[in-house]
Amino acid sequence: MERRRFLGLTAAAAALGLTATVAGCGTLGGDGGDVTLRLVAADYDLTGGNTTKKYWDELVAAFQAGHPGIKVQVQVESWDDVDRKVAEMVKAGQAPDVAQIGAYADYAAAGQLYSADDLLSIPVQANFLPALAEAGENDRTQYGLPFVASTRPLFYNADLFDKAGLKPPTTWDELAEAAKKLKEEGVRTPFALPLGPEEAQAESLMWLLAGGGGWTDDSDRYAIASEANTETFTWLKDELVGQGLTGPIAPGKLNRKAAFAAFARGEVGMLNGHPSLVQEAAKQGVKVGQAPLPGIDGPARATMGVADWIMGFKQNGHRKEIGTFLDFVFSDENVLKFAGDNDLLPVTVSASSRMETATEHAGLREFLKALPTAQLPPVGKTSWAKVSETIKQDIGKAVTPAGRPADVLGAIARTATTAEAAE
């Protein structure tokens, strides 16, 4: 099993009663002299709008009003491009001061990032959900600061389920039977299985955890070709894909974005969901049901958690100013606004507690409930970027008619061994 990274609150963190409302007034200061920080951030707007840019523009305006010596320039890039563009900037010797992207470990291992200790005031640093803080560590030092998080339950089209007389499945066998019934009812894609290169490493991990495996074992060592993982992909190949229950597009060619869009159009019976899909499906008149992910013999004992990261680069030497800005970013108001507006989960103790009781965030409570047993991918490994990319490109082959799960997983495992040896 992958090392347990529980996202529940530790007693020590809860006892602190943290509020994270320092609003940039931490011990690091940074108001002396005129400094311009450059921030590159990912675009979370699923509809092609400018809500992410508007968020940052408003946050920066409020920050600059209280810190006239620090200016912040914001550059928002799509998720398709942001990691690559930041990597190109760093390689060219033009690193941004702050980057909000998908991975941090390579930069941390190369000595290019400030640590959390370097940047944040003590109350802000102590307020992160413990497992997210741990997942942000490289060589036992935190460099990645969690920005937003999500968990993934099972989504189902409630109207299609009612029409077919179905209840939410709790086991894999029940899931397969429900998918067969939906197919008989004419549903185009009974279960959407996006193993395409957009996010195959995450979709796969949800199934691996439900099957008693994971990308790593309890010691955080890669266990990609384990018996449990092989059995999971064999079941997917034989009982879902091989039975024609995953729709007209081969899983290895289906990306998450396309699967979610099809679900929002009412063409998909079930898929492993994401908080942002709830609102989009509702806009198109699809009633979304949510349930714990099914496992082999009952609900999955663990589900996947995902975090996106924000980090400060050393290159321009703006440690104090970056720290002052990030203290402000992690105030409850800013954390809750971004998470709530994008149907995602906050990354701090205090903001999570507020979201649990806020009526306007009632739709996210099921996702918050999954936090205590959620597990993250091994993002702290510098080898994970290479391993993750290999999974994205190759894992879909495991469920093709000619595919052999053991062979595909074995090849990925060899890539992981080589990548880890090079760390």
Side-chain angles (χ1 to χ4, degrees):
M1 287 290 288
E2 183 170 277
R3 183 176 63 172
R4 292 292 190 259
R5 285 170 169 156
F6 297 119
L7 301 189
L9 310 185
T10 65
L16 289 173
L18 301 170
T19 59
T21 55
V22 292
C25 299
T27 59
L28 293 173
D31 297 280
D34 291 333
V35 168
T36 297
L37 301 178
R38 185 181 181 193
L39 164 67
V40 178
D43 186 2
Y44 286 76
D45 195 311
L46 297 177
T47 63
N50 67 344
T51 57
T52 299
K53 186 177 186 304
K54 182 179 178 183
Y55 170 83
W56 283 114
D57 286 346
E58 291 177 353
L59 183 150
V60 165
F63 173 76
Q64 291 179 165
H67 303 83
I70 308 175
K71 306 299 180 186
V72 183
Q73 294 179 348
V74 180
Q75 176 181 340
V76 176
E77 298 285 349
S78 74
W79 271 113
D80 291 339
D81 300 323
V82 68
D83 289 279
R84 173 180 56 81
K85 289 194 173 184
V86 169
E88 290 171 351
M89 293 174 191
V90 174
K91 186 176 181 180
Q94 300 173 348
D97 295 286
V98 181
Q100 188 277 296
I101 52 179
Y104 67 88
D106 284 354
Y107 302 121
Q112 296 167 323
L113 300 180
Y114 289 116
S115 70
D117 288 338
D118 291 331
L119 295 174
L120 301 177
S121 62
I122 292 173
V124 171
Q125 187 178 356
N127 197 27
F128 289 126
L129 290 166
L132 293 180
E134 180 188 344
E137 293 179 358
N138 178 265
D139 198 20
R140 299 189 179 183
T141 298
Q142 185 183 359
Y143 296 94
L145 313 179
F147 182 66
V148 285
S150 66
T151 56
R152 308 289 175 87
L154 177 73
F155 280 11
Y156 59 94
N157 184 312
D159 290 332
L160 293 179
F161 262 57
D162 288 344
K163 182 180 177 182
L166 294 171
K167 295 181 179 179
T170 61
T171 67
W172 284 358
D173 287 344
E174 290 177 3
L175 186 150
E177 287 302 315
K180 290 175 183 176
K181 181 64 175 177
L182 290 168
K183 184 178 181 180
E184 293 171 1
E185 294 287 326
V187 176
R188 188 169 186 259
T189 303
F191 193 101
L193 184 65
L195 296 178
E198 181 185 355
E199 206 193 27
Q201 84 290 355
E203 178 71 22
S204 299
L205 180 55
M206 286 181 267
W207 287 98
L208 298 183
L209 291 172
W215 293 129
T216 55
D217 60 20
D218 289 336
S219 300
D220 207 29
R221 294 174 297 191
Y222 285 116
I224 293 169
S226 69
E227 181 179 353
N229 290 353
T230 301
E231 290 176 353
T232 291
F233 268 91
T234 299
W235 187 90
L236 286 172
K237 177 188 174 183
D238 294 345
E239 304 302 329
L240 280 189
V241 183
Q243 300 298 320
L245 302 176
T246 53
I249 302 175
K253 302 292 185 182
L254 181 64
N255 280 327
R256 184 190 72 165
K257 186 175 181 180
F260 282 12
F263 184 87
R265 293 193 301 267
E267 299 171 3
V268 173
M270 296 175 281
L271 50 63
N272 293 332
H274 183 282
S276 61
L277 182 55
V278 176
Q279 193 174 90
E280 187 60 28
K283 288 178 183 176
Q284 299 191 47
V286 172
K287 184 179 178 183
V288 181
Q290 298 180 37
L293 294 180
I296 296 174
D297 54 7
R301 294 176 178 82
T303 188
M304 182 188 68
V306 173
D308 299 327
W309 306 95
I310 194 165
M311 61 211 71
F313 282 87
K314 292 180 177 179
Q315 185 178 104
N316 301 316
H318 295 149
R319 179 182 68 86
K320 291 184 178 180
E321 292 82 5
I322 294 170
T324 301
F325 177 65
L326 290 175
D327 271 357
F328 185 80
V329 166
F330 286 111
S331 69
D332 273 5
E333 289 71 20
N334 290 328
V335 170
L336 279 169
K337 171 141 183 76
F338 193 87
D341 286 354
N342 291 281
D343 290 317
L344 293 166
L345 305 181
V347 296
T348 63
V349 173
S350 52
S352 294
S353 296
R354 286 177 58 174
M355 178 174 275
E356 282 182 329
T357 57
T359 56
E360 65 267 31
H361 299 308
L364 293 173
R365 286 175 187 160
E366 287 300 316
F367 299 94
L368 285 167
K369 286 180 183 177
L371 284 175
T373 57
Q375 297 176 43
L376 275 72
V379 292
K381 289 177 173 287
T382 55
S383 57
W384 177 241
K386 174 64 176 176
V387 175
S388 176
E389 187 60 31
T390 304
I391 294 168
K392 290 179 183 179
Q393 297 301 323
D394 294 344
I395 197 65
K397 299 173 185 176
V399 296
T400 60
R404 290 174 53 86
D407 292 347
V408 174
L409 290 168
I412 296 171
R414 289 190 290 276
T415 296
T417 298
T418 301
E420 195 160 36
E423 288 184 347

